[in-house]
Amino acid sequence: MDKEQQKKRIDELREKVEYHAKKYYDEDKPEITDFEYDMLMVELRNLEKENPEFISNESLTQKVGGNVKEGFEKVTHEVPLQSLQDIFSLEEIDEFDERIHKKAEENGIKEVKYVVETKIDGLSAAIEYKQGKLVRGATRGNGLVGEDITQNLKTIKTIPLEINDKIDITVRGEVFISKDDFKKMNQEREENEEELFANARNAAAGSLRQLDSKITATRPLDIYIFNVQKIVGKEYNSHFEELEYLHNLGFNVNPVRIECKTIKEIKNAIEKIGEMREKLTYGIDGAVIKVDNLKFREILGTTAKTPRWAIAYKYPPEQKETTVKDIICQVGRTGVITPMAILEPVKVAGSTISKTTLHNEDFIKEKEIKIGDKVIIQKAGDVIPEVVRVVKEKRTGEEKEFEIPRICPVCGAEAIREEGEAAIRCTGIECPAKLFRNLVHFVSREAMNIDGLGENIIGQLLERELIHNIADIYTLEFEDIASLKKNGKKFAQNLIDSINKSKENDLYRLITALGIRHVGGKASKILAKKYKTIDNLANASYDELSEINDIGEVMANSIREFFLQDQTIDLIKKLKEAGVNTETIIEEETDNRFEGKTFVLTGSLEKYTRKEAEDIIEKFGGKTSGTVSKKTNYVLAGEEAGSKLTKAQNLGVTIISEKEFEDIIS
């Protein structure tokens, strides 16, 4: 390339790495693998090295990626939280060692020691203690300014609120989620129809950067401390000794730290960490080599972005070639049909891989995967096997195209892909794959409210084949229920009473219980009020439904498709035969004092749950919304009201207290 072409390529690379760094650091939603990002950075760094006249201070080779998220207070780091220079070959370790020894000779330092540690794949944070008590914590941000996440860090059980010495100290650590916890999180998110986390690092980062610390508290975050940023009143000359001191203070210190005196020992340590990588409970993306002598570190100094006394060796992802023997479809609890590649078994990163998810229809088309293809696979984030690419040059012409079926492979119901979604879903309400989840929803408090019929009991009923569909709840015998528990007669009677009571529920509860996609409790009440019977609703046209306020086209389409299914028709028939009410029985509310008014609730109310307050507002003809806008009429603010209250004040929206709300409804 000539100079003009090199300049053009540098500009292209800067734009790419800026985009992907924003996705990675700021949005916690990466679109490419860490390795792909690293290779872009390597190419950019090499081109800038060859063309120093094109180097810019704004290039990510010269500064730390990451910005402060809106909603967090800014924290200026007293000691910058720098990133590390990444290397990808053992030869680069030799160059690093030669450079360090040359500097040592220049300064009369006779012995150079190193510490090799695991490079934990998480989110870096600085934690400040005054007189031994935690006072503040912050993310790395751009290295100079981070986000105040003190309350979120306090939810992590392995971070001590008070340490074993009354000193002023700032430490740096890596917040992460273990491999097992990450798997569980994604399984739960899949069951709850939530977007899956791309990897454990982004799950940890997204969890730690929540504006609501209550959400952070529900996430299985952990931390390993790996550095002292600043300490007052004590002095150490050895990084290794400093880590031991941190351990004695009560910190959860990086457990893998190996002292090395020679380049051979460094390479052995890197090899050892590479071998144990698969067995570690947490994900790593490399090994860090640090100079141990802290005073020597000061002599070596830093660049604007990285310390000169440390480097990070990045392990290349282990990739293997195998064959796609078949593609099958699995149906999850939410009805999502997921294609799975059945592979010729191959060992990758310490474990044998014989199948992997192909995610969805778009993924298969994007990668151009066919049955019979040779493919390259690797483990994403040391956890999930994934197809990297198809080896197209090895195709024989015998490979077969694959299309995800539009008929559920489990129950035979229609499978649909809604506009704007990647997933294809089974629409059958009696589909065995969805049955457990459908039952749990059907009996829930917001739906049919069958007290005593929880997940554990439903699981036992299914396991013993006492129920095979939703309507079977109403045919359960006393003896069957009593057999589920020791001395279970009282439990059985209470559950039978609760089941019988649910038959008298209003129509809106039944509509909610049916679990029609996109139709929640509020929409169910609107539909019950308008159509009066389940049969009227089942016969409503798409045009008629879509014209109803708060229903709209997406919901209307979902309702029509649901009631056209044979399984839906069969279930409603069985429910009627069991004596379940299918008509509106609640008297029409004539007091519409809140008609045309929209409320937003924020904070904690003393006398009402949020659901109870919403029900009262709807009872009087009002609506509730989750967001504040100029169209909002009232914001009902409880204790610890947050950003919604601030926005309401800025927009001039009427704010009422719980007492004022009670006065209005009394």
Side-chain angles (χ1 to χ4, degrees):
M1 287 191 291
D2 59 27
K3 283 287 182 183
E4 189 177 335
Q5 290 174 318
Q6 288 178 324
K7 176 67 168 66
K8 185 179 178 182
R9 181 57 180 162
I10 286 172
D11 291 340
E12 287 175 357
L13 287 167
R14 282 179 185 161
E15 188 176 336
K16 280 186 178 180
V17 296
E18 283 280 359
Y19 173 80
H20 289 298
K22 189 174 189 299
K23 287 288 178 185
Y24 183 87
Y25 291 110
D26 299 339
E27 299 177 22
D28 303 316
K29 292 181 178 179
E31 293 181 355
I32 59 176
T33 66
D34 288 358
F35 184 74
E36 288 170 317
Y37 178 80
D38 288 339
M39 292 303 100
L40 290 174
M41 284 292 283
V42 167
E43 185 184 354
L44 177 58
R45 192 179 296 116
N46 289 339
L47 279 172
E48 288 180 342
K49 192 174 180 181
E50 292 173 21
N51 302 274
E53 68 272 25
F54 298 146
I55 292 176
S56 164
N57 289 335
E58 293 305 305
S59 173
L60 279 180
T61 60
Q62 307 300 311
K63 66 177 184 177
V64 176
N67 294 297
V68 175
K69 187 176 179 180
E70 188 179 343
F72 285 105
E73 288 188 19
K74 293 182 179 180
V75 175
T76 300
H77 298 299
E78 198 168 345
V79 178
L81 271 65
Q82 295 186 303
S83 61
L84 292 168
Q85 176 71 55
D86 293 332
I87 61 170
F88 300 90
S89 68
L90 296 178
E91 289 74 24
E92 289 174 283
I93 298 175
D94 292 329
E95 292 172 10
F96 173 74
D97 182 59
E98 287 170 12
R99 190 168 68 248
I100 296 299
H101 273 87
K102 182 180 178 182
K103 197 73 173 177
E105 287 176 18
E106 291 173 1
N107 289 274
I109 296 170
K110 295 180 180 179
E111 184 183 43
V112 175
K113 289 196 297 184
Y114 299 97
V115 179
V116 179
E117 304 168 23
T118 49
K119 187 175 184 296
I120 300 152
D121 197 11
L123 184 75
S124 201
I127 312 171
E128 185 181 348
Y129 290 79
K130 294 285 187 186
Q131 290 297 297
K133 292 185 178 179
L134 194 160
V135 293
R136 190 166 67 172
T139 61
R140 183 176 70 173
N142 63 11
L144 300 174
V145 178
E147 302 151 330
D148 190 326
I149 51 166
T150 308
Q151 297 308 313
N152 291 356
L153 286 170
K154 284 181 177 180
T155 69
I156 301 175
K157 295 180 178 62
T158 46
I159 294 179
L161 300 180
E162 191 168 354
I163 54 178
N164 301 327
D165 199 348
K166 293 184 177 180
I167 57 165
D168 293 355
I169 187 173
T170 301
V171 298
R172 182 175 175 181
E174 197 79 1
V175 177
F176 65 94
I177 292 175
S178 74
K179 295 176 183 177
D180 286 345
D181 284 334
F182 174 66
K183 284 180 182 177
K184 289 175 188 174
M185 278 184 70
N186 261 355
Q187 285 170 358
E188 289 173 6
R189 290 180 75 83
E190 185 175 15
E191 289 173 8
N192 293 325
E193 298 186 1
E194 296 174 322
E195 185 180 355
L196 300 188
F197 289 115
N199 52 53
R201 185 269 169 199
N202 291 97
S207 300
L208 194 59
R209 300 173 77 209
Q210 291 287 333
L211 294 172
D212 185 353
S213 60
K214 291 176 184 174
I215 297 174
T216 305
T218 66
R219 305 283 173 81
L221 295 174
D222 205 341
I223 190 170
Y224 281 137
I225 305 299
F226 61 81
N227 200 52
V228 173
Q229 295 296 100
K230 181 183 176 183
I231 188 168
V232 178
K234 286 188 183 292
E235 190 172 335
Y236 284 88
N237 192 42
S238 162
H239 172 65
F240 194 84
E241 290 175 8
E242 209 168 47
L243 291 178
E244 290 298 311
Y245 172 64
L246 290 176
H247 175 74
N248 293 333
L249 285 180
F251 288 111
N252 205 26
V253 179
N254 190 340
V256 181
R257 44 191 193 276
I258 305 168
E259 286 185 287
C260 301
K261 292 181 180 179
T262 66
I263 191 71
K264 184 179 179 182
E265 288 180 2
I266 290 174
K267 291 178 179 178
N268 287 341
I270 288 172
E271 186 179 350
K272 181 180 178 182
I273 290 172
E275 289 171 354
M276 64 193 295
R277 186 177 179 183
E278 181 67 24
K279 296 176 183 175
L280 291 171
T281 58
Y282 55 95
I284 67 170
D285 59 352
V288 181
I289 302 109
K290 301 176 181 177
V291 169
D292 185 51
N293 187 313
L294 299 180
K295 292 194 182 299
F296 185 27
R297 285 187 185 183
E298 292 178 14
I299 295 170
L300 290 164
T302 69
T303 68
K305 180 180 179 180
T306 62
R308 292 192 176 95
W309 43 263
I311 52 172
Y313 174 79
K314 302 292 282 286
Y315 294 100
E318 185 181 357
Q319 298 183 338
K320 291 287 182 70
E321 182 181 302
T322 186
T323 304
V324 179
K325 295 167 64 178
D326 197 3
I327 299 176
I328 63 170
C329 286
Q330 296 182 339
V331 185
R333 285 185 172 186
T334 63
V336 173
I337 299 175
T338 303
M340 297 287 296
I342 305 302
L343 306 170
E344 190 69 45
V346 61
K347 198 162 188 176
V348 183
S351 57
T352 300
I353 308 300
S354 58
K355 63 180 180 179
T356 183
T357 179
L358 297 180
H359 303 292
N360 52 52
E361 192 171 45
D362 292 344
F363 183 86
I364 293 173
K365 288 179 179 176
E366 181 188 331
K367 299 282 186 183
E368 298 181 50
I369 300 168
K370 299 180 181 181
I371 297 171
D373 266 335
K374 298 287 184 185
V375 293
I376 302 299
I377 66 167
Q378 68 181 27
K379 275 192 174 181
D382 283 350
V383 179
I384 305 167
E386 64 178 1
V387 173
V388 179
R389 63 182 175 87
V390 173
V391 187
K392 293 180 183 176
E393 57 269 26
K394 291 191 177 182
R395 279 182 171 164
T396 64
E398 298 294 316
E399 295 79 17
K400 298 176 184 176
E401 297 277 357
F402 176 80
E403 291 286 339
I404 296 182
R406 278 352 192 224
I407 297 295
C408 174
V410 174
C411 72
E414 183 184 4
I416 62 168
R417 177 177 177 175
E418 293 185 358
E419 190 175 344
E421 288 198 359
I424 294 174
R425 298 174 187 273
C426 166
T427 58
I429 192 171
E430 294 185 331
C431 179
K434 297 164 56 181
L435 184 56
F436 175 80
R437 184 180 175 87
N438 287 348
L439 283 165
V440 170
H441 173 72
F442 188 87
V443 305
S444 65
R445 184 175 296 179
E446 295 74 21
M448 295 302 276
N449 193 23
I450 302 179
D451 191 33
L453 197 49
E455 291 188 14
N456 182 42
I457 298 300
I458 288 172
Q460 290 186 58
L461 291 170
L462 288 170
E463 190 177 329
R464 299 189 186 191
E465 297 187 355
L466 295 173
I467 55 176
H468 301 88
N469 55 57
I470 289 171
D472 283 350
I473 291 170
Y474 295 98
T475 63
L476 283 169
E477 300 287 343
F478 179 90
E479 292 76 14
D480 292 334
I481 299 172
S483 69
L484 301 177
K485 287 192 174 187
K486 190 177 181 181
N487 303 320
K489 290 185 177 181
K490 185 177 180 181
F491 166 74
Q493 189 56 58
N494 289 339
L495 183 51
I496 290 288
D497 291 344
S498 185
I499 290 170
N500 288 331
K501 185 181 177 183
S502 76
K503 294 179 182 180
E504 302 168 7
N505 282 338
D506 187 76
L507 173 60
Y508 85 85
R509 283 192 172 275
L510 177 59
I511 297 171
T512 303
L514 291 173
I516 306 168
R517 189 157 168 75
H518 304 301
V519 178
K522 189 184 295 186
S524 296
K525 288 179 181 177
I526 293 169
L527 293 168
K529 187 175 180 179
K530 178 171 178 62
Y531 289 104
K532 308 296 191 245
T533 73
I534 198 73
D535 291 337
N536 289 342
L537 176 59
N539 293 321
S541 70
Y542 166 80
D543 291 338
E544 184 183 319
L545 286 162
S546 60
E547 289 174 3
I548 302 170
N549 284 339
D550 295 322
I551 298 299
E553 295 178 1
V554 172
M555 212 181 293
N557 191 53
S558 186
I559 294 165
R560 282 303 302 141
E561 287 178 343
F562 179 81
F563 283 106
L564 287 172
Q565 298 299 318
D566 290 340
Q567 291 182 29
T568 304
I569 296 166
D570 180 62
L571 173 61
I572 291 171
K573 180 184 175 185
K574 288 175 180 175
L575 291 173
K576 285 179 179 178
E577 290 171 352
V580 175
N581 174 61
T582 59
E583 299 180 2
T584 297
I585 54 177
I586 293 177
E587 291 182 12
E588 192 127 352
E589 180 55 58
T590 55
D591 187 343
N592 290 323
R593 66 183 74 178
F594 292 153
E595 187 172 2
K597 305 295 183 186
T598 300
F599 287 71
V600 172
L601 280 64
T602 182
S604 302
L605 301 177
E606 186 178 336
K607 293 188 178 180
Y608 307 97
T609 65
R610 183 161 296 195
K611 176 78 169 56
E612 288 169 343
E614 288 176 350
D615 285 345
I616 291 169
I617 291 165
E618 290 171 13
K619 173 185 171 185
F620 290 124
K623 295 194 298 184
T624 58
S625 173
T627 55
V628 178
S629 70
K630 290 180 180 178
K631 294 182 179 179
T632 305
N633 300 103
Y634 298 102
V635 167
L636 173 53
E639 292 294 322
E640 298 180 11
S643 58
K644 291 178 184 177
L645 177 60
T646 305
K647 188 172 182 180
Q649 291 167 335
N650 293 336
L651 291 173
V653 174
T654 302
I655 298 163
I656 59 174
S657 66
E658 186 172 359
K659 175 66 170 62
E660 289 171 316
F661 179 66
E662 282 194 300
D663 290 342
I664 295 171
I665 64 176
S666 63

